[in-house]
Amino acid sequence: MEVYKGWIRRNKGFVRQLDSLVNNLTWFLPDEFAESEIGPEAVSSLVGMITTVNEYIIETTPTEVHTRCAGSSSIPLSLCLTLLKDLETSIEVVAEQLYGEKNKWNLIAISEVVKVCIRLVIFRKTGYKMLLQGGETENAENDSDSSCPQETKRRIDKPTGNEESGTTKTLHLQNSENLEGRAISALSSFGKNASMQQPQAIMEPPIKLVERPSLWTFLSEKGVPGGFFVTGEVLFIIRPLVYVLLMRKYGTRSWFPWCVSLAVDLIGNSIVSVALMCQHSGKNQQLQYCDSEKDELKRRRMLWALYLMRDPLFTKYTRQKLESTQRLVQTVPILGFVAEKLIEILIGVQTRFTYTSGS
């Protein structure tokens, strides 16, 4: 495995181009192979998982600065979450082929339960920070718990008040005629030079264990806005699972799962926005949102557009609008062809829950 990692890191430009090429080629599978939905989705999932692993290896390339600050060698939960998302469409297709349209929701619900558990663990391990990209991207903003060798080196090289005082005393002893003082000064200079020549051999930077706050500690420190934030994040995490369970019970034609899912999204986002308003108003300076977290809130709002692609709204409204638009532009030579293919892709994508779930 280390040989493979080394090759990927040495040829990262070539690997990225190759991954992009292979991903594009999955759209042009032979007709004999594409007759079954399982085949194309399995190939697409496999290529996606390989691309994800390769990108993770490239992004975690050890550098000279961070080699001694390397963390655990275990597979991170964010990578597991991304691999599961690469695989979930194949799970849906296989479940539909084996168990039918109605019973496929059992396997989909299981995969959503696993994702909820992973996200809750990530939420806990990061010290109750906002999940970026649904937990697939590490939220390392404003993390003062991490240390690096450069900072440690500065602390080693920079003299403290006691050291400066000791140096002054040494100079004072050098200026004196006391033989004992000269001997002590010489020994002190020798020891200082030895420590400067081999600082790593004498003073290794301490390994700092990161202690994450408990939920009670977090709520005590952040107050009411912190409680709003945690509630909003938990609603964001469990919303896809709630939607799947309701779809499993009421079916795709019912408005109840669609409305409940939208309500959970709106309530959760509103609660998190209240915490953000408290920050802007200066009522709570303990809960600070960084730029990446503000961008994440915007991304979540953009995901609301997927409700147009979910049944029953898609069947009763969106599809009719798409087809009427296609009939309107079909007489235009190039635009009509592009619109037809685009609408065909959108209709095909809509048939899969995993494409429009936003989870």
Side-chain angles (χ1 to χ4, degrees):
M1 189 61 182
E2 293 301 323
V3 176
Y4 178 73
K5 288 182 179 180
W7 185 85
I8 292 293
R9 288 163 179 165
R10 288 192 303 270
N11 304 275
K12 58 183 179 180
F14 171 75
V15 170
R16 281 172 170 164
Q17 292 179 359
L18 181 62
D19 289 339
S20 177
L21 176 62
V22 174
N23 274 285
N24 292 330
L25 288 178
T26 57
W27 290 87
F28 303 99
L29 292 172
D31 293 338
E32 296 80 4
F33 186 72
E35 288 180 356
S36 172
E37 288 189 80
I38 297 179
E41 289 298 343
V43 171
S44 180
S45 296
L46 179 61
V47 171
M49 294 172 71
I50 293 175
T51 301
T52 299
V53 173
N54 290 342
E55 194 64 28
Y56 169 75
I57 293 174
I58 293 173
E59 290 179 353
T60 56
T61 301
T63 61
E64 184 178 354
V65 174
H66 296 92
T67 300
R68 285 170 40 193
C69 285
S72 175
S73 59
S74 60
I75 300 177
L77 292 174
S78 57
L79 178 61
C80 297
L81 184 61
T82 305
L83 293 175
L84 179 57
K85 292 190 67 174
D86 289 333
L87 190 62
E88 62 182 0
T89 304
S90 295
I91 295 175
E92 180 180 358
V93 173
V94 170
E96 184 175 343
Q97 293 284 335
L98 295 179
Y99 304 109
E101 175 68 24
K102 184 177 181 180
N103 295 324
K104 75 175 184 179
W105 297 105
N106 295 328
L107 277 180
I108 296 176
I110 293 175
S111 66
E112 290 296 334
V113 168
V114 174
K115 287 197 289 185
V116 166
C117 293
I118 293 176
R119 283 170 175 150
L120 288 175
V121 173
I122 293 175
F123 188 47
R124 170 66 184 89
K125 283 192 170 184
T126 56
Y128 303 100
K129 292 182 179 179
M130 182 180 293
L131 299 184
L132 304 181
Q133 299 291 328
E136 296 180 64
T137 301
E138 181 182 1
N139 189 348
E141 291 276 352
N142 300 327
D143 192 356
S144 60
D145 293 333
S146 60
S147 63
C148 69
Q150 287 182 333
E151 293 297 328
T152 307
K153 187 176 185 299
R154 287 195 209 103
R155 291 195 294 268
I156 294 173
D157 293 346
K158 184 178 180 181
T160 61
N162 293 333
E163 291 173 343
E164 291 175 351
S165 177
T167 303
T168 304
K169 292 180 180 178
T170 302
L171 291 174
H172 177 70
L173 289 172
Q174 285 179 341
N175 294 330
S176 68
E177 297 296 331
N178 191 308
L179 182 61
E180 182 181 358
R182 292 179 185 179
I184 294 174
S185 175
L187 291 173
S188 176
S189 299
F190 176 79
K192 181 179 179 181
N193 292 332
S195 64
M196 291 298 294
Q197 290 174 0
Q198 294 181 343
Q200 294 181 356
I202 297 176
M203 297 185 66
E204 289 290 338
I207 299 176
K208 190 173 183 179
L209 298 177
V210 178
E211 184 178 353
R212 300 300 181 184
S214 64
L215 179 59
W216 177 254
T217 303
F218 178 85
L219 295 177
S220 300
E221 293 177 353
K222 308 302 181 181
V224 175
F228 284 156
F229 170 75
V230 172
T231 303
E233 281 297 290
V234 171
L235 288 176
F236 168 75
I237 292 172
I238 67 173
R239 196 276 311 164
L241 176 59
V242 172
Y243 181 55
V244 168
L245 294 177
L246 293 177
M247 291 282 285
R248 176 175 173 268
K249 182 176 182 179
Y250 294 98
T252 58
R253 296 183 180 181
S254 174
W255 282 97
F256 185 67
W258 189 93
C259 293
V260 171
S261 178
L262 179 60
V264 173
D265 257 338
L266 293 175
I267 293 173
N269 194 274
S270 299
I271 291 175
V272 176
S273 298
V274 168
L276 181 61
M277 291 171 59
C278 292
Q279 172 189 340
H280 288 324
S281 62
K283 295 179 180 178
N284 189 301
Q285 297 299 325
Q286 299 294 328
L287 186 64
Q288 298 290 334
Y289 285 2
C290 59
D291 291 338
S292 60
E293 292 173 335
K294 294 176 183 178
D295 292 338
E296 171 65 17
L297 289 177
K298 296 177 183 177
R299 186 192 73 88
R300 294 180 185 181
R301 295 189 187 103
M302 291 179 64
L303 289 177
W304 294 349
L306 291 175
Y307 281 97
L308 296 173
M309 298 294 295
R310 297 172 188 164
D311 281 331
L313 182 65
F314 180 83
T315 301
K316 296 184 177 180
Y317 179 79
T318 308
R319 183 166 184 168
Q320 296 178 6
K321 292 297 181 181
L322 291 175
E323 291 175 347
S324 63
T325 303
Q326 179 185 356
R327 289 192 296 268
L328 184 64
V329 300
Q330 66 181 355
T331 56
V332 182
I334 299 179
L335 184 60
F337 175 78
V338 173
E340 179 182 358
K341 291 301 179 182
L342 180 60
I343 292 172
E344 181 180 344
I345 292 174
L346 289 176
I347 293 176
V349 165
Q350 192 275 332
T351 59
R352 294 291 165 222
F353 164 81
T354 50
Y355 289 150
T356 62
S357 64
S359 65

